[in-house]
Amino acid sequence: MALSDYFIRFLERRDKLSDEERARLADITTERKSFASGDVIVAREVVAERSCLMLSGMSARIHVLPRSKDRVITALHVPGDFVDLHGFVLAGLAHTVIAMGPAEVEFVSHDQLRELTNEWPHLTRLLWMSTTIDAAVHRQWLVAAASLRSSAHLAHLLCELYTRLNSVGAAQDHRYILPLLQRDLANILGYSPIHINRAVRDLRERGLIRWSGTEVQILDWPGITALAQFRPDYLDLEQLNR
Amino acid sequence: MALSDYFIRFLERRDKLSDEERARLADITTERKSFASGDVIVAREVVAERSCLMLSGMSARIHVLPRSKDRVITALHVPGDFVDLHGFVLAGLAHTVIAMGPAEVEFVSHDQLRELTNEWPHLTRLLWMSTTIDAAVHRQWLVAAASLRSSAHLAHLLCELYTRLNSVGAAQDHRYILPLLQRDLANILGYSPIHINRAVRDLRERGLIRWSGTEVQILDWPGITALAQFRPDYLDLEQLNR
DNA sequence: GGTTCGGCTTAACCATTGTTATCCTGCATC
DNA sequence: GATGCAGGATAACAATGGTTAAGCCGAACC
C-alpha cells in the first residue's frame, strides 16, 4: 500500500513540503498490519530491516530488565509517529515495541528509506527531525522524573498524551482513550502500581480528572497543567523551514 | 579552523568513511572557543544558527524549572560529542548547554551543515546517527531512573561516563576526572544533594570506588557494573554500514 | 597564619514511596 | 446465576529519600 497521510501531516505541521516531495513520499510502499493488545510489533534485534508508523491505537517501547523480569517503558506512540525510525541509522535497538490496546501500523523497508535519503536531502532532514522530537520527549520525561512527585508526574504524562493526540486529531474536548493499565503507568513513571493508584485517586480528589476504564477526561486543564508544570514547547509544534 | 579529528573518529568507530567523505568533513570550518566552569556554551534560543562539538572537558544540557529556580541536567557530553546537533533540525532547544569544569568546544554553522547534507547522504545519515545515540542514552537514563535505587543509579552513571570517556581515549585504568559537584549529580539523578552524598558513601563502603575531589577511580569494575546492571550495548559501539 | 567560603559529611527527623495483604468490582465463562 | 479471574481500591507497615541543621575540611585571600 501507499504511505498513509498521517505522517505527511505530521511533517506538514512543522515545515512546508513541495509538490514533488509530497509525491515522492506518496511513492513509498508500505505493509499494513493490525495487532492485538500486548502483541510484539517490533522485536529487539541486531539490525532492523524496516521501521513502523502508527496508524491507530498506541504502542510502547519496552526495555526488559535483566534481573527483575519487570520492564520499563521509555516511549509511548500515537498515530502519525514514526515509532522506530531511529532503527534506520542505529546498529541495534535495545528495546521491543508492543501494542498497547488494539493497534494498526504500517511498515516501511529501510531499503526504501535509503533510496529516499540518497536523493532528497530536505525530506531526510525532516525524517531526522522526527527522531529528534522523540528525543526531546525523552528529555522532558527525564525532567519530569527528576522534578515532579507522583501526582504531578502522572499529570504531566496525561497532559502530554492529550496534547499529542489532539495535535494529530485523535482527541478532542480534553478526553481520550488511554489503553494502559495502572501497571503500565507504573512501568513508565517508575513507581509501584499501588502508588500509581494513590496518584490517580489524588488527581480525582483534586477534581482535575475523571477516569474510568480506558477513558480519561481532563476536567480542569489550567489546573492540571499548573500542577504538572506542563509547557508543550518541547513537542516542537511550530512551522519552520528546516 | 578545520573540524577536529575527534568527531571523525567517533564516526569511524561506527561505520566506514570513504576518502572523499573524510576530505569533505575536513573541509568544514569551525570556530574554537574555551569556556570556564559554569559558562553558558549554548543559550536557549528560538532558532540556533550553529551547533557545537566537545574538544575537551565536559558540558551539560540543563533545563531550568519554571518555579523552583532549580535545574535538571538531561545530558552530559564528553570529547567527540556533537552536543547540540539536534538543534540543526529542531525548531527550538528547550535547554541551555553549560561547561562543567573548563571546556573547549568548536562551533559549526548550520549553513555548512545544510550544504553538506544537501550533497552527502551517507554523511547525513551518520550525523543523524550521532543524534540517535544521544537519544539512546536518554532512554537508558529513563530505564535507570525507573528501575534503580540511589546507589545503583549513581553507579550506573559512573559506569556510563567511564565507558564513554574510555571509548574516545579520554580515560584509562578505570580512572577519570569528573568535574561535577554533588549538587550537579543531584540535578542529573533527581535526588537531593544530601542523598547523593549517602549514595557516594555507600559505594565507598562497598569498596567499589575511590573518589576525592574531581578524580573518580573504580576499584571493582565487575562489582559496580553488576550493582548498576550496566550493559554498554546502548552506546552503539559497533561498526556497521549505515 | 588567621579568616572566609563553598562544598563535603553526618545526624535526626519527616515525607514520600514500596510491599504485602485483603477486598471489591466487572466481565467472561459455563 | 455461580465461578473464576484480572484489575482497581484501600490499609498497615517498612524502606527509601527529603529537609533542616550543624560540623568539617581545604583552597583562596588577606
Side-chain angles (χ1 to χ4, degrees):
Chain A
M1 295 191 67
L3 185 69
S4 70
D5 273 356
Y6 257 124
F7 184 64
I8 297 176
R9 266 182 270 146
F10 176 95
L11 298 181
E12 285 191 311
R13 166 140 203 172
R14 289 163 174 92
D15 194 0
K16 291 199 177 74
L17 297 178
S18 68
D19 291 343
E20 296 79 35
E21 287 174 332
R22 219 174 285 114
R24 179 62 183 84
L25 288 172
D27 268 354
I28 293 174
T29 62
T30 67
E31 187 190 338
R32 297 201 180 186
K33 212 166 164 191
S34 295
F35 293 89
S37 193
D39 284 356
V40 171
I41 298 174
V42 181
R44 184 186 162 151
E45 48 190 327
V46 179
V47 182
E49 287 167 4
R50 57 184 191 174
S51 291
C52 78
L53 275 149
M54 291 303 291
L55 293 175
S56 70
M58 279 193 192
S59 63
R61 299 191 205 167
I62 67 170
H63 294 240
V64 178
L65 298 176
R67 294 179 195 171
S68 67
K69 267 179 280 180
D70 218 359
R71 62 199 200 178
V72 176
I73 294 174
T74 57
L76 286 176
H77 289 289
V78 302
D81 285 354
F82 214 142
V83 176
D84 59 341
L85 179 55
H86 54 297
F88 173 51
V89 288
L90 272 181
L93 294 184
H95 56 74
T96 300
V97 178
I98 63 169
M100 307 305 279
E104 289 174 289
V105 308
E106 60 185 344
F107 292 98
V108 180
S109 72
H110 286 177
D111 289 343
Q112 286 187 87
L113 292 176
R114 210 166 289 113
E115 283 174 32
L116 183 139
T117 57
N118 279 340
E119 290 169 26
W120 298 80
H122 180 241
L123 287 177
T124 305
R125 288 195 291 268
L126 293 184
L127 291 173
W128 183 355
M129 172 195 72
S130 109
T131 66
T132 62
I133 292 175
D134 268 8
V137 173
H138 293 334
R139 284 192 293 278
Q140 188 60 37
W141 284 25
L142 285 167
V143 171
S147 64
L148 301 177
R149 292 301 151 79
S150 52
S151 303
H153 195 178
L154 173 60
H156 191 280
L157 181 65
L158 297 178
C159 291
E160 178 187 302
L161 286 175
Y162 176 71
T163 304
R164 289 169 62 189
L165 288 166
N166 179 257
S167 85
V168 294
Q172 294 83 31
D173 304 325
H174 298 122
R175 290 165 183 272
Y176 57 101
I177 300 301
L178 183 64
L180 302 179
L181 303 179
Q182 294 190 349
R183 187 210 306 148
D184 300 319
L185 292 165
N187 291 334
I188 295 170
L189 301 174
Y191 298 103
S192 64
I194 290 87
H195 205 65
I196 293 293
N197 190 281
R198 289 195 267 248
V200 171
R201 174 167 41 155
D202 183 47
L203 295 181
R204 274 204 266 252
E205 284 173 355
R206 290 169 189 252
L208 297 173
I209 61 166
R210 198 171 290 160
W211 189 338
S212 67
T214 57
E215 172 148 0
V216 174
Q217 181 182 5
I218 294 172
L219 299 172
D220 176 3
W221 182 255
I224 199 168
T225 53
L227 175 68
Q229 299 180 43
F230 179 73
R231 303 284 320 275
D233 325 26
Y234 66 96
L235 296 173
D236 210 74
L237 294 166
E238 282 178 80
Q239 220 196 26
L240 280 174
N241 298 324
R242 305 183 196 242
Chain B
M1 295 192 66
L3 185 69
S4 70
D5 273 356
Y6 256 124
F7 184 64
I8 296 176
R9 265 183 269 144
F10 176 95
L11 297 181
E12 285 190 310
R13 166 136 203 177
R14 290 163 173 92
D15 194 359
K16 292 200 177 74
L17 296 179
S18 69
D19 291 342
E20 296 78 36
E21 287 175 332
R22 220 174 286 113
R24 180 62 183 85
L25 287 173
D27 268 353
I28 293 174
T29 61
T30 66
E31 187 191 338
R32 297 202 181 185
K33 212 166 163 192
S34 295
F35 293 89
S37 192
D39 284 357
V40 172
I41 298 175
V42 181
R44 182 184 163 156
E45 48 189 331
V46 178
V47 182
E49 286 167 5
R50 56 184 191 175
S51 289
C52 79
L53 274 149
M54 290 303 292
L55 293 175
S56 70
M58 279 194 192
S59 63
R61 299 191 204 168
I62 66 170
H63 294 240
V64 178
L65 299 176
R67 293 179 197 171
S68 66
K69 269 179 280 180
D70 220 0
R71 60 199 203 179
V72 176
I73 293 174
T74 57
L76 287 176
H77 288 288
V78 301
D81 285 353
F82 215 142
V83 177
D84 59 341
L85 179 55
H86 54 296
F88 173 51
V89 289
L90 272 182
L93 295 183
H95 57 73
T96 299
V97 178
I98 64 170
M100 307 305 279
E104 290 174 289
V105 308
E106 59 185 344
F107 293 98
V108 180
S109 71
H110 287 177
D111 289 342
Q112 286 186 87
L113 292 176
R114 209 166 288 111
E115 282 174 32
L116 183 139
T117 56
N118 279 340
E119 288 169 27
W120 297 81
H122 179 241
L123 287 178
T124 304
R125 287 195 291 268
L126 293 184
L127 291 174
W128 182 356
M129 173 196 72
S130 107
T131 66
T132 63
I133 292 176
D134 268 8
V137 174
H138 293 333
R139 283 193 293 278
Q140 189 59 38
W141 284 24
L142 284 168
V143 170
S147 64
L148 302 176
R149 293 300 150 80
S150 51
S151 303
H153 195 178
L154 173 59
H156 191 280
L157 181 65
L158 297 178
C159 291
E160 178 188 301
L161 286 175
Y162 177 71
T163 305
R164 288 169 63 188
L165 287 166
N166 180 257
S167 85
V168 293
Q172 294 82 33
D173 304 325
H174 297 124
R175 289 165 184 271
Y176 57 102
I177 300 300
L178 183 64
L180 301 180
L181 304 179
Q182 294 189 353
R183 186 210 306 150
D184 299 320
L185 292 165
N187 292 333
I188 294 170
L189 302 175
Y191 298 104
S192 64
I194 290 89
H195 204 65
I196 293 293
N197 190 279
R198 289 195 268 249
V200 171
R201 174 167 41 157
D202 183 47
L203 295 181
R204 273 202 267 251
E205 284 173 356
R206 291 168 188 251
L208 297 173
I209 60 167
R210 198 171 290 161
W211 189 338
S212 66
T214 58
E215 173 148 0
V216 174
Q217 181 181 6
I218 293 172
L219 300 172
D220 176 4
W221 182 255
I224 197 167
T225 54
L227 174 69
Q229 297 180 44
F230 179 72
R231 302 284 320 276
D233 325 26
Y234 66 96
L235 296 172
D236 209 75
L237 295 166
E238 282 178 81
Q239 219 195 28
L240 279 176
N241 297 324
R242 304 184 197 239

